[in-house]
């Protein structure tokens, strides 16, 4: 297993659209293992392949308090989205920024697991928000893009300054 580099906003590669996985093979399982290691080390609640510059529809999530409930979603699809939630979100690709974003409260998702089996699950609360946040990454969308132009401009400037200072 290895820890992967997480792309930082603004980076054009965060806007690439991920392609569906055609076969859940050992290469995908190895990517999932590396993404899980990277997510736990960060630490984060979820990670989308886009964030590690792999443009395939793969997500890992662990929204448990005990950090032992790894969920792998390959080619995820939202079958139903009900209600409204607005949760303060953060993102490993936009460190230090936390903003409330409007999401569905309850979702039904179908995906493939790490063994390639199809499954359907329901989620609500933080897990539901996190799945929606990660699925946005796969479409090349970062949560700050829901904010006003002014906030986005400020966040971009702050990120660029942080990156200059750490360079
Ligand atoms: O670690 C994360 N926490 C989080 C909190 C609220 C809503 C979404 C998230 S996802 C984020 C990790 C991340 O950037 N995933 O893409
Ligand atoms: Ni994110």
């Amino acid at each position: 297993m290895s820890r992967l580099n997480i792309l930082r906003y603004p980076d054009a590669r965060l806007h690439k659209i991920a392609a569906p996985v055609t076969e859940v093979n050992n290469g995908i399982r190895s990517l999932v293992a590396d993404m899980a290691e990277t997510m736990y080390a960060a630490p984060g609640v979820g990670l989308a392949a886009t964030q590690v510059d792999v443009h395939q529809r793969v997500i890992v999530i662990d929204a448990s308090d005990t950090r032992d409930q790894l969920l792998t979603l390959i080619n995820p699809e939202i079958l139903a989205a009900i209600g409204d939630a607005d949760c303060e979100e953060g993102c490993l690709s936009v460190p230090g920024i936390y903003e409330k974003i409007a999401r569905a409260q309850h979702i039904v998702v179908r995906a493939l697991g790490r063994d390639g089996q199809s499954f359907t699950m329901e989620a609500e609360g933080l897990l539901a928000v996190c799945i929606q946040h990660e699925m946005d990454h796969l479409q090349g969308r970062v949560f700050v893009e829901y904010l006003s132009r002014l906030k986005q401009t400020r966040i971009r400037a702050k990120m660029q300054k942080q990156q200059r200072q750490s360079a």
Side-chain angles (χ1 to χ4, degrees), residues 50-70:
T50 307
Q51 292 175 278
V52 294
D53 201 21
V54 174
H55 303 283
Q56 299 197 66
R57 294 184 60 80
V58 177
I59 290 170
V60 294
I61 294 180
D62 191 336
S64 72
D65 292 332
T66 43
R67 311 290 287 153
D68 60 357
Q69 303 286 315
L70 179 65

Side-chain angles (χ1 to χ4, degrees), residues 39 43-48 51 60 87-94 98 103 126 129-131 133-134 137:
M39 173 187 73
V45 180
L47 189 70
Q51 292 175 278
V60 294
C87 173
E88 182 124 304
E89 297 192 20
C91 182
L92 295 171
S93 295
V94 200
Y98 301 91
R103 302 284 190 185
L126 176 63
V129 167
C130 191
I131 292 171
H133 174 115
E134 304 312 337
H137 277 301

Side-chain angles (χ1 to χ4, degrees), residues 4-165:
L4 307 170
N5 180 52
I6 299 176
L7 298 176
R8 295 286 193 92
Y9 180 87
D11 184 312
R13 293 170 290 182
L14 286 170
H15 303 307
K16 289 196 188 181
I17 295 177
V21 169
T22 53
E23 186 197 356
V24 181
N25 54 25
N26 287 337
I28 294 293
R29 278 185 280 274
S30 162
L31 170 66
V32 166
D34 289 347
M35 285 174 60
E37 184 182 346
T38 305
M39 173 187 73
Y40 285 120
V45 180
L47 189 70
T50 307
Q51 292 175 278
V52 294
D53 201 21
V54 174
H55 303 283
Q56 299 197 66
R57 294 184 60 80
V58 177
I59 290 170
V60 294
I61 294 180
D62 191 336
S64 72
D65 292 332
T66 43
R67 311 290 287 153
D68 60 357
Q69 303 286 315
L70 179 65
L71 187 62
T72 303
L73 301 175
I74 298 167
N75 298 346
E77 293 171 82
I78 294 196
L79 303 181
I82 306 126
D84 300 295
D86 70 6
C87 173
E88 182 124 304
E89 297 192 20
C91 182
L92 295 171
S93 295
V94 200
I97 303 293
Y98 301 91
E99 294 279 353
K100 278 202 168 174
I101 305 293
R103 302 284 190 185
Q105 166 63 22
H106 188 123
I107 57 175
V108 180
V109 182
R110 180 169 58 208
L112 304 179
R114 44 163 287 133
D115 300 318
Q117 82 288 8
S118 175
F119 67 97
T120 301
M121 64 176 284
E122 294 190 27
E124 55 187 1
L126 176 63
L127 179 59
V129 167
C130 191
I131 292 171
Q132 292 169 80
H133 174 115
E134 304 312 337
M135 287 182 68
D136 271 355
H137 277 301
L138 299 180
Q139 293 294 347
R141 196 179 308 124
V142 180
F143 82 111
V144 297
E145 289 160 1
Y146 290 108
L147 304 173
S148 68
R149 272 295 168 87
L150 177 62
K151 277 193 175 174
Q152 289 183 53
T153 302
R154 286 181 178 157
I155 290 167
R156 203 173 299 119
K158 187 173 171 182
M159 293 299 114
Q160 284 163 340
K161 185 176 173 195
Q162 269 180 20
Q163 275 163 59
R164 274 199 305 281
Q165 285 172 344

